[in-house]
Amino acid sequence: MAKSRSGVFKKEASELLNRFNASLPFDKKLYHEDIKGSIAHAKMLGKQGILTIKETDAIIDGLKKILFEIESGKFGFAIEDEDIHMAIEKRLGEIAGEEISGRLHTARSRNDQVATDFKLYVQNSLLELAQLTKEFIKTLLGVAKNHTKTLLPGMTHLQHAQPVNFAFHLLAYMYMFKRDIERMQSSYERNNYSPLGSAAFAGTPYPIDRQRSAEKLGFTAPMSNAMDGVSDRDFALEILFNISVLMTHISRLAEELVLWSSIEFGFITLSDEYSTGSSIMPQKKNPDVPELLRGKTGRVYGNLVGLLTVLKGLPLAYNKDMQEDKEGVFDSVETAQISLRIINETIKTMHVNRENMQKACKKGHLSATDLADYLVTHCGIPFREAHFITGKAVAKADELGVDISQMSYLELQKIESKIGKDVEKYISLEASMNARTSKGGTAESATAEQLIEIAEWLKKIKS
Ligand code: ARG
């Protein structure tokens, strides 16, 4: 039997209703969490004397058998069963007899059951995503370590601005992904409270032990208010938001990979394993991986906005609208998992064209700021005036067809007589990069500190 339709109904559900109402096609993914939740609930009921030992054992054996059937592909899913909770309960009736299976739902409702199952899935996904993100940071760190001296043009407005080293540039991403992990960890802690035992929404008259079932499922404690217990989907919103930010970071790196692998930049070459071809232009190698990563960010945002919209204005407690909470979360989690895996491999296998990065630094007068700083610190000129004089020097460099970093001091002296021979060592590209020794700066010494900080943090965090 195991039907949500009680004796109050005189007619069968229409086939159209079954199709429209069912969540089984997508929530069957939660079979593991559902069985785990039911076992914890049954054990607690047994311990509290609400079920006999015999009943408890029969229920647990039956649930384990169902787990095996599902995992070995022998379980028959039928749309009329509505959702994974009813499908499993129905099968339990066939295995253990309805007299026994019917007792599992004592002091429980599908409302707290689904919230528990879904939260278990989300919590586990947070741990998996944090682990994948950690692997990716390790890869970035590995690449960065070889490039503390590799100069590339740092940009603002996509215009050459100041020289930085490539490790420093990658570190900016490492810190973003570090925050992503921290966000996932804090969501995990904040939401690690069990809805189970909230029953329909008002609690239950049975003498249940919610702390016990919560702990069995790895939760810190039961949620304090049963109505909140069945209505809360913040945990789902948070994972969708966390993934949205993660994908924003991935998409920014992806965009740089697209730019860097173009002929115009030539900073990196993507490995053939992670490049695609054109069906018409035989010479082409396309960066489909980073492009898709950029694109997939869109669907992940869509899932977040979708669930926010579903939940907006919903009265308490459970409403069927909430069944729409799952597909977007599944999709975002799976998108983030494959995205992290493939960006990891793409970065691991790409070739860094050091020389091209270096060459690009000789365009755009990247060390102009250093000339201005020189005029301030060595010639006693106020910064505004120094800024103006440097502008003249840049114009002169353009006229001569050289970069400011290659201007001789003699040429510069013609513009400002206070300039000395020593200017050359301040306006070289290496000197410019290495002058930025402030904490968090691009100088090799400051970059090394950041590399150490990330490496130590990686060692500290739980894997
Ligand atoms: N399939 C439902 C969902 O995903 C389970 C909860 C059903 N509860 C109810 N009162 N109809 O939300």
Side-chain angles (χ1 to χ4, degrees):
M1 211 176 40
K3 280 200 167 167
S4 56
R5 295 165 83 81
S6 74
V8 85
F9 290 87
K10 296 200 172 63
K11 285 187 183 172
E12 284 299 307
S14 76
E15 205 217 313
L16 188 58
L17 171 67
N18 282 342
R19 265 204 292 142
F20 186 65
N21 196 34
S23 52
L24 188 60
F26 51 86
D27 71 12
K28 61 182 176 197
K29 193 188 249 320
L30 296 176
Y31 74 88
H32 194 267
E33 289 79 2
D34 195 68
I35 291 174
K36 194 172 161 189
S38 287
I39 290 178
H41 183 64
K43 282 190 176 163
M44 182 280 293
L45 291 177
K47 182 86 188 164
Q48 296 301 100
I50 301 167
L51 294 183
T52 64
I53 297 176
K54 214 173 130 222
E55 287 163 346
T56 311
D57 289 348
I59 287 173
I60 294 171
D61 287 351
L63 289 169
K64 286 186 178 158
K65 184 150 189 266
I66 295 171
L67 182 64
F68 174 77
E69 285 180 357
I70 297 177
E71 292 195 327
S72 54
K74 291 197 188 102
F75 191 92
F77 289 103
I79 193 106
E80 310 77 68
D81 291 339
E82 204 178 318
D83 56 30
I84 187 67
H85 325 293
M86 299 310 288
I88 289 177
E89 198 184 312
K90 184 179 94 179
R91 182 73 188 121
L92 185 63
E94 290 163 5
I95 295 171
E98 280 174 14
E99 167 60 25
I100 300 268
S101 73
R103 294 181 191 274
L104 172 61
H105 217 51
T106 316
R108 187 177 75 168
S109 148
R110 266 190 303 164
N111 297 349
D112 58 337
Q113 187 177 359
V114 71
T116 305
D117 295 0
F118 192 30
K119 194 179 258 189
L120 285 172
Y121 169 85
V122 164
Q123 294 294 81
N124 188 46
S125 301
L126 284 174
L127 297 180
E128 278 176 24
L129 287 173
Q131 182 58 30
L132 285 169
T133 311
K134 184 179 165 187
E135 293 305 318
F136 181 43
I137 298 179
K138 277 193 202 158
T139 296
L140 288 170
L141 187 64
V143 176
K145 278 183 180 156
N146 298 323
H147 291 285
T148 54
K149 288 182 194 300
T150 307
L151 291 177
L152 81 161
M155 300 189 184
T156 58
H157 312 271
L158 203 60
Q159 307 288 326
H160 286 209
Q162 290 176 341
V164 295
N165 69 73
F166 190 44
F168 175 76
H169 195 121
L170 293 179
L171 273 159
Y173 284 105
M174 288 184 241
Y175 282 101
M176 294 182 215
F177 294 118
K178 173 175 181 280
R179 285 194 298 275
D180 286 321
I181 293 182
E182 288 162 350
R183 236 186 309 275
M184 292 179 213
Q185 288 172 334
S186 92
S187 289
Y188 185 96
E189 297 302 328
R190 183 173 30 262
N191 293 304
N192 202 34
Y193 293 87
S194 173
L196 195 59
S198 296
F201 63 86
T204 169
Y206 296 95
I208 56 171
D209 182 350
R210 292 189 61 205
Q211 181 66 34
R212 189 175 184 88
S213 55
E215 279 170 17
K216 278 211 179 310
L217 294 172
F219 291 116
T220 313
M223 290 177 76
S224 299
N225 177 283
M227 198 172 239
D228 183 40
V230 298
S231 313
D232 167 46
R233 292 294 183 274
D234 290 1
F235 61 93
L237 289 175
E238 283 192 35
I239 196 170
L240 288 173
F241 175 73
N242 292 340
I243 291 174
S244 295
V245 181
L246 169 75
M247 289 300 294
T248 305
H249 296 155
I250 290 180
S251 79
R252 294 183 78 169
L253 177 55
E255 169 62 9
E256 300 218 274
L257 295 182
V258 172
L259 289 172
W260 290 345
S261 62
S262 68
I263 290 181
E264 283 68 22
F265 277 78
F267 287 2
I268 56 163
T269 308
L270 296 176
S271 142
D272 281 359
E273 276 178 289
Y274 294 99
S275 303
T276 46
S278 155
S279 60
I280 176 166
M281 297 164 280
Q283 86 283 13
K284 289 204 71 189
K285 274 218 251 166
N286 291 330
D288 282 20
V289 170
E291 286 171 327
L292 263 175
L293 288 168
R294 238 174 19 191
K296 285 188 185 293
T297 307
R299 67 193 285 158
V300 160
Y301 293 176
N303 291 333
L304 171 61
V305 176
L307 185 58
L308 283 167
T309 313
V310 166
L311 295 173
K312 178 188 175 293
L314 273 192
L316 298 181
Y318 178 86
N319 300 271
K320 192 71 175 213
D321 316 41
M322 291 161 78
Q323 181 165 287
E324 291 291 314
D325 59 1
K326 289 171 216 46
E327 285 163 289
V329 171
F330 294 157
D331 180 67
S332 282
V333 167
E334 282 159 29
T335 301
Q337 283 171 340
I338 193 161
S339 297
L340 281 165
R341 287 207 178 97
I342 202 153
I343 187 113
N344 190 16
E345 292 306 317
T346 306
I347 295 285
K348 231 186 236 175
T349 54
M350 74 184 183
H351 181 258
V352 179
N353 304 326
R354 246 178 244 265
E355 306 70 32
N356 288 349
M357 287 187 178
Q358 218 100 2
K359 230 192 282 163
C361 288
K362 296 194 179 126
K363 286 186 200 143
H365 312 292
L366 295 176
S367 55
T369 315
D370 300 272
L371 177 57
D373 288 341
Y374 173 89
L375 293 169
V376 171
T377 47
H378 292 76
C379 312
I381 297 172
F383 185 79
R384 268 293 143 244
E385 198 186 331
H387 184 269
F388 181 77
I389 297 169
T390 305
K392 285 198 347 199
V394 165
K396 184 72 191 169
D398 280 338
E399 208 182 293
L400 297 171
V402 295
D403 186 74
I404 198 97
S405 61
Q406 295 160 317
M407 286 266 273
S408 72
Y409 81 98
L410 291 168
E411 281 296 341
L412 289 167
Q413 264 178 355
K414 288 188 204 156
I415 298 161
E416 169 53 58
S417 61
K418 288 186 190 150
I419 290 177
K421 188 175 186 329
D422 61 347
V423 71
E424 289 178 8
K425 66 174 196 275
Y426 289 95
I427 59 171
S428 83
L429 294 166
E430 286 76 17
S432 167
M433 185 263 280
N434 274 321
R436 285 163 176 76
T437 53
S438 55
K439 182 164 173 55
T442 189
E444 276 179 68
S445 58
T447 300
E449 274 176 28
Q450 296 162 49
L451 289 171
I452 291 169
E453 187 175 59
I454 290 285
E456 286 183 350
W457 174 78
L458 280 172
K459 267 191 253 156
K460 255 193 350 238
I461 57 164
K462 288 178 256 154
S463 54

